[in-house]
Amino acid sequence: MPNLSRSSVPDNLLPGPVLYWAMHGSARVICDGESFTIDSGRALWTPAGAACEVVAGVGDVVVPVQRFDLGEARTPTPVVVEAGSAPWLLWSYADALGYRDGAAAAPFGWRADPSPADACEPPPMPSSDPAMRLATRVRNAPAVLRPLAEEAAALGWSERTLQRRFVTETGLGVREWVRATRISIAARLLRDGEEVAVVARAVGYGTATGFARAFAAAVGEVPSLWRERASSGASSMPRLRAEAALPSHRTWRRVNGAHVALWIARGSATITIGEEEHLVGEGDAVILPAGTPNVVAASDGSLVLPVGYRSGASGGIGRLVSPAHFTRDENPWLVRAMVTAYTPLRGKPRGDAWAFDEILRRSEHLPAGADEHLVARAASTVALRGTEPRTIDEVARTLGVPVGDVVEAVRACAASTPANWLRMSRMSRARVHLTRGESAAAVGRILGYAHPPAFTRAFRDVYGAPPREVVGALR
């Protein structure tokens, strides 16, 4: 029996509606007291304010995608996630963290899937007597069908006439009508409990694999899954599918109060740390050092995800020489590490810090110097304290070091004046608060601004736009 992790999800930590997506394995989601099971490739949409709890095994990966709109849905709704949608779901998860410069709404199309019975209704019968004779014979013996020219000749028609009459009378060509009839009969046999291989032979397919492909193309699910859903009496289930490639994107320029681990899950990206640029590819991972300004720019079709962090109070990390690298087999663990680090879903099969520690171990850095240690500690101090420190002098006093040391460290590591570095550090913190839905006035008070206009001016000086525009882009 697998070890299970149970995680309560307070709705104030996951604002808005949430889509709980089983990326790997399966899980049980308890929403307002009602229990739902989601398997790999399925999800459960929950409305805003729902009290949810997730129970999953050690190897299971459940991704909570926040602020996910599912049209007119108002109650917990099971969802089918179509192949190819995984990158967009991970994009949507990361987008809710608020680190991207601007917002790009995930272009998900979604449709209500017909119920299992409706999806396999037999096609209409033709009305003319010759065509009806052929249709009746196919329904009685779906595995037996001669070449169309022979079938037409037996009815006294040409093949072209046979095709025209079927299209006119049923809306389908002969082959399409036969295929739909076979799928309808196969559905009835599956519902009655017949094995897939037996059903495939009964309706004229030479192999179970060929039948499964044809059934999935017609119905949207392989025969075994369709039978499970049909036997359970499941009704209409929305299906999610991505309708566009991931666009290029970048993070806003920021100073982190913690070291942040980034993973290039797909494509490539250019990562600027201070004044150094690093081109990293799919599977690579790096640590963004606390206290050093950074920007991440991803190319079209790329996906960059944060997978962990460590407080800058722990000291500095030396300059990056080469990134870490992970194989595709390790993707589920990295996604789980991301979910563990940034949401209340605290599955800990390898510990909270596994991804960060592993990236640090696999990458190569120069030894951290005294300046890097001091800048990391200073950034952590700015990020964690309330209204203070507001000057470099206050930062130095808090750390118990000479102010000249802090000034020298900032200039060496951040290539910035101390005043600009401190302002960017404080506004980076402000932007994090704004992504959580807090008002600009409230964030200004947290940072010690007595008057909202003063906070707005400081924010605009760093990001070129007032806080309300950032808030608007995130909602």
Side-chain angles (χ1 to χ4, degrees), residues 19-44:
L19 184 78
Y20 292 95
W21 165 46
M23 174 185 168
H24 188 77
S26 62
R28 184 160 55 93
V29 180
I30 304 167
C31 182
D32 289 336
E34 186 177 1
S35 182
F36 300 84
T37 297
I38 51 173
D39 296 316
S40 182
R42 301 293 178 94
L44 179 71

Side-chain angles (χ1 to χ4, degrees), residues 331-408:
N331 286 3
W333 289 110
L334 288 163
V335 172
R336 180 156 182 160
M338 172 184 71
V339 172
T340 295
Y342 294 98
T343 77
L345 297 183
R346 298 292 185 185
K348 303 177 182 179
R350 297 189 177 185
D352 275 351
W354 171 80
F356 187 98
D357 291 344
E358 195 63 15
I359 292 171
L360 192 58
R361 185 184 71 81
R362 296 188 193 188
S363 56
E364 184 180 355
H365 295 80
L366 295 176
D371 288 342
E372 289 158 319
H373 286 299
L374 185 53
V375 161
R377 292 174 55 213
S380 177
T381 297
V382 174
L384 294 178
R385 289 181 173 263
T387 59
E388 297 179 352
R390 283 179 282 184
T391 67
I392 288 294
D393 285 355
E394 291 177 357
V395 173
R397 282 198 299 271
T398 301
L399 295 175
V401 299
V403 66
D405 290 356
V406 178
V407 170
E408 182 179 341

Side-chain angles (χ1 to χ4, degrees), residues 98 100-102 252-254 419-420 422-436 438-445 447 449 451-474:
R100 296 199 181 103
D101 194 5
W252 38 278
R253 185 170 174 82
R254 59 186 286 125
N420 286 340
L422 182 57
R423 184 163 53 246
M424 181 175 290
S425 298
R426 285 166 56 77
M427 293 305 109
S428 295
R429 183 181 172 210
R431 199 154 177 170
V432 171
H433 282 284
L434 291 170
T435 65
R436 296 173 181 169
E438 298 176 43
S439 69
V443 175
R445 288 193 297 271
L447 296 182
Y449 287 90
H451 304 289
F455 169 62
T456 298
R457 283 194 300 272
F459 192 92
R460 186 188 285 114
D461 286 346
V462 175
Y463 293 116
R468 67 174 179 275
E469 292 187 12
V470 173
V471 174
L474 292 169

